C-alpha cells in the first residue's frame, strides 16, 4: 500500500495512476487496509487526484475515497474534499461515471449530519440531477437527498433551493 501511494505521488502517467487507484480502492474494501492507508497519509494523496485532468483518474480517486469513507476516522480527513467533490459532480457530464462516483461518495459522507453544511450549495444541482438524470443518477441523488432531509437543520435549505 505504501508503494502504491508513493507511486501515485511520483507519476504523471494517467494509466499508472488509474491502476494504482483501482488497487487502492479494492484494498480499501477491507477495514484494516482503510486504517493503514490513512496512517500512511494516503487520503490526501488520493484526494489530490480529484484535480487530475483525466476523467478516469478522477473517477477512480472518487471510488477509492468512497471505499475509504466507510471508516469514521477516514471521513474526518475526507471531509476536506466534500466541496471539491460537489463541484466535480456539478461540472461532470450528465450521468457520467465521474458524476455517479462523486454522488456515491457524497451519499456515504452524508449518512451522518456532520458534513451536511458542506453540501448546501449543491442542493440546486442535486435537484436538477433528479429531474434530468437517468434512473441510476436519480437513485444516487435521492440517497444523498434522503440523508440530508433526515437533518432538521437542512429543511430550510432543501425547501428554499432554487431549481
Amino acid at each position: 500500500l505504501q508503494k502504491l501511494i508513493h507511486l501515485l505521488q511520483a507519476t504523471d502517467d494517467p494509466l499508472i495512476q488509474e491502476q494504482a487507484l483501482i488497487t487502492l480502492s479494492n484494498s480499501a474494501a477491507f477495514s484494516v487496509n482503510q486504517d493503514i492507508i490513512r496512517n500512511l497519509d494516503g487520503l490526501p494523496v488520493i484526494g489530490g487526484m480529484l484535480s487530475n485532468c483525466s476523467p478516469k483518474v478522477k473517477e477512480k480517486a472518487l471510488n477509492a475515497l468512497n471505499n475509504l469513507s466507510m471508516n469514521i476516522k477516514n471521513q474526518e480527513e475526507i471531509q476536506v474534499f466534500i466541496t471539491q467533490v460537489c463541484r466535480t459532480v456539478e461540472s461532470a457530464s450528465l450521468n457520467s461515471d465521474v458524476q455517479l462516483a462523486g454522488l456515491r461518495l457524497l451519499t456515504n459522507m452524508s449518512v451522518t449530519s456532520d458534513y451536511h453544511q458542506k453540501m448546501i450549495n449543491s442542493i440546486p444541482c442535486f435537484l436538477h440531477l433528479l429531474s434530468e438524470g437517468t434512473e441510476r443518477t436519480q437513485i444516487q441523488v435521492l440517497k444523498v437527498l434522503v440523508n440530508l432531509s433526515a437533518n432538521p437543520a437542512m429543511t430550510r435549505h432543501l425547501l428554499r433551493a432554487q431549481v
Side-chain angles (χ1 to χ4, degrees):
L1 293 173
Q2 186 175 29
K3 290 185 188 259
L4 284 169
I5 293 166
H6 287 303
L7 181 62
L8 269 179
Q9 291 175 301
T11 186
D12 289 330
D13 184 334
L15 292 175
I16 293 173
Q17 291 170 335
E18 193 179 333
Q19 291 305 310
L21 287 165
I22 289 169
T23 304
L24 285 167
S25 181
N26 291 340
S27 298
F30 302 97
S31 56
V32 67
N33 290 339
Q34 294 170 2
D35 292 329
I36 292 170
I37 292 169
R38 182 186 64 254
N39 293 332
L40 291 171
D41 294 323
L43 296 174
V45 174
I46 295 167
M49 295 287 115
L50 296 177
S51 17
N52 196 292
C53 296
S54 165
K56 286 283 188 198
V57 171
K58 271 186 199 179
E59 176 199 349
K60 302 311 183 223
L62 288 164
N63 288 338
L65 289 173
N66 184 46
N67 286 348
L68 289 161
S69 73
M70 302 307 282
N71 174 312
I72 296 296
K73 287 183 180 178
N74 286 351
Q75 282 191 2
E76 292 170 8
E77 287 191 36
I78 292 170
Q79 60 98 13
V80 301
F81 300 109
I82 289 176
T83 304
Q84 186 176 4
V85 172
C86 286
R87 283 194 308 263
T88 299
V89 167
E90 291 176 32
S91 64
S93 301
L94 184 62
N95 307 314
S96 65
D97 290 336
V98 171
Q99 191 172 65
L100 287 166
L103 288 167
R104 281 192 296 273
L105 175 56
L106 292 175
T107 299
N108 282 349
M109 294 300 292
S110 64
V111 168
T112 66
S113 60
D114 296 344
Y115 311 114
H116 287 180
Q117 290 295 114
K118 294 179 178 262
M119 299 180 203
I120 287 173
N121 292 335
S122 294
I123 291 173
C125 171
F126 299 152
L127 295 172
H128 170 76
L129 293 176
L130 191 57
S131 67
E132 298 296 321
T134 61
E135 186 176 322
R136 284 178 57 200
T137 301
Q138 290 172 339
I139 289 169
Q140 208 57 56
V141 169
L142 281 171
K143 289 178 182 182
V144 175
L145 290 172
V146 165
N147 288 346
L148 295 177
S149 70
N151 179 356
M154 296 300 291
T155 303
R156 179 173 45 105
H157 302 288
L158 289 164
L159 294 176
R160 286 188 177 171
Q162 296 296 313
V163 184

